[in-house]
Amino acid sequence: QPQNMSNLVWACATLMYKDEAAMQKVATAASLRVAEFGTQELSNLTWGLATLALYFEDWFEASGAEMARRSRDCCPQDLSNTLWAYGTVVHKRNEHLRAINWEVMRQIEWFSPQGLSNVIWGLSAIEYRDIKALTCISEEVMRRPLELWTPPDISRLLYSCAVLAWSHDG
C-alpha cells in the first residue's frame, strides 16, 4: 500500500537507518503505483529518500511528475518538503518545478517560516532561479515580523539568496 511504503521510508529516515537495497525496492515498487499515492505520501517518501541521501531516478521522475500534475492538491508542507528533497539530492526537472513553484506562489501566505526557508533553499541547491517565485517568496518574507523567524530559517534564507545572487528591493 502507498501509505505503508511512505511510512516505511519516513520511519527509516527518521531513525537514519539506511538500507539502500531495501529502499531501492520500495522506490521501484512505489514508482509503479505513483498515481495511487496521496500528495503527503509522495512528499514523505521523497523526503525520506533524500534524508537518507538516496537518489533513485525512477522514483524522483515519477513522483515529480505526479506532484506537478496534482500540485493544486498539495498543502504547503508537501510542497516545501518536496523542494527541500529536490535540493538535497540535486534533482533538476524544470517541467516539474514550474507547476510546483506556481502552487507555492498561490499558497504563499500559508507557508510557515521554516517552509518558506526550505523552499528557497531547495531552489538554490538546484540553481533554479525563477524571478517570479523569488519575488513572491521575498515579499512574503518581508511582510512577516522578524520574531517569527528562527536563526536557522534566517540563515537558510540568506544563504539561498546569496547562492541565487538574489536581493529583494522592497
Side-chain angles (χ1 to χ4, degrees), residues 2 27 30 37 63 72 79 94 102 114 120 124 132 138 143 166 170:
F37 280 70
S63 67
R72 291 187 69 86
L79 298 165
N94 288 350
W102 180 257
Q114 181 182 3
I120 198 165
S124 72
K132 194 170 188 177
S138 297
R143 188 186 69 73
W166 174 255

Side-chain angles (χ1 to χ4, degrees), residues 28-60:
T28 299
S31 298
L32 300 173
R33 301 178 63 183
V34 73
E36 299 172 35
F37 280 70
T39 57
Q40 182 178 1
E41 295 160 342
L42 289 168
S43 70
N44 284 352
L45 202 152
T46 302
W47 174 89
L49 291 174
T51 297
L52 294 171
L54 296 172
Y55 179 74
F56 303 121
E57 189 171 3
D58 56 341
W59 170 255
F60 278 85

Side-chain angles (χ1 to χ4, degrees), residues 2-161:
Q3 185 175 4
N4 294 340
M5 289 186 260
S6 175
N7 288 347
L8 174 67
V9 173
W10 178 88
C12 287
T14 300
L15 296 170
M16 293 308 293
Y17 175 75
K18 186 174 180 176
D19 181 335
E20 190 167 347
M23 294 297 106
Q24 173 72 66
K25 288 178 184 176
V26 172
T28 299
S31 298
L32 300 173
R33 301 178 63 183
V34 73
E36 299 172 35
F37 280 70
T39 57
Q40 182 178 1
E41 295 160 342
L42 289 168
S43 70
N44 284 352
L45 202 152
T46 302
W47 174 89
L49 291 174
T51 297
L52 294 171
L54 296 172
Y55 179 74
F56 303 121
E57 189 171 3
D58 56 341
W59 170 255
F60 278 85
E61 285 298 316
S63 67
E66 192 65 19
M67 284 292 280
R69 189 179 71 77
R70 295 187 4 220
S71 61
R72 291 187 69 86
D73 298 334
C74 293
C75 71
Q77 188 166 354
D78 298 338
L79 298 165
S80 66
N81 287 354
T82 299
L83 288 171
W84 177 89
Y86 286 0
T88 300
V89 298
V90 193
H91 177 69
K92 300 179 181 186
R93 283 305 291 253
N94 288 350
E95 62 274 11
H96 301 164
L97 292 168
R98 277 197 266 322
I100 293 169
N101 268 340
W102 180 257
E103 195 56 30
V104 166
M105 291 185 289
R106 197 178 75 77
Q107 295 187 34
I108 195 79
E109 66 193 47
W110 304 109
F111 278 78
S112 68
Q114 181 182 3
L116 286 172
S117 67
N118 284 345
V119 164
I120 198 165
W121 180 85
L123 295 175
S124 72
I126 57 176
E127 301 169 341
Y128 189 77
R129 197 169 193 274
D130 179 325
I131 300 302
K132 194 170 188 177
L134 291 172
T135 300
C136 182
I137 293 166
S138 297
E139 288 173 356
E140 185 62 22
V141 166
M142 300 302 287
R143 188 186 69 73
R144 296 185 185 192
L146 182 60
E147 49 276 356
L148 293 178
W149 300 88
T150 66
D153 295 334
I154 294 168
S155 178
R156 264 190 308 276
L157 285 167
L158 294 174
Y159 172 82
S160 301
C161 288

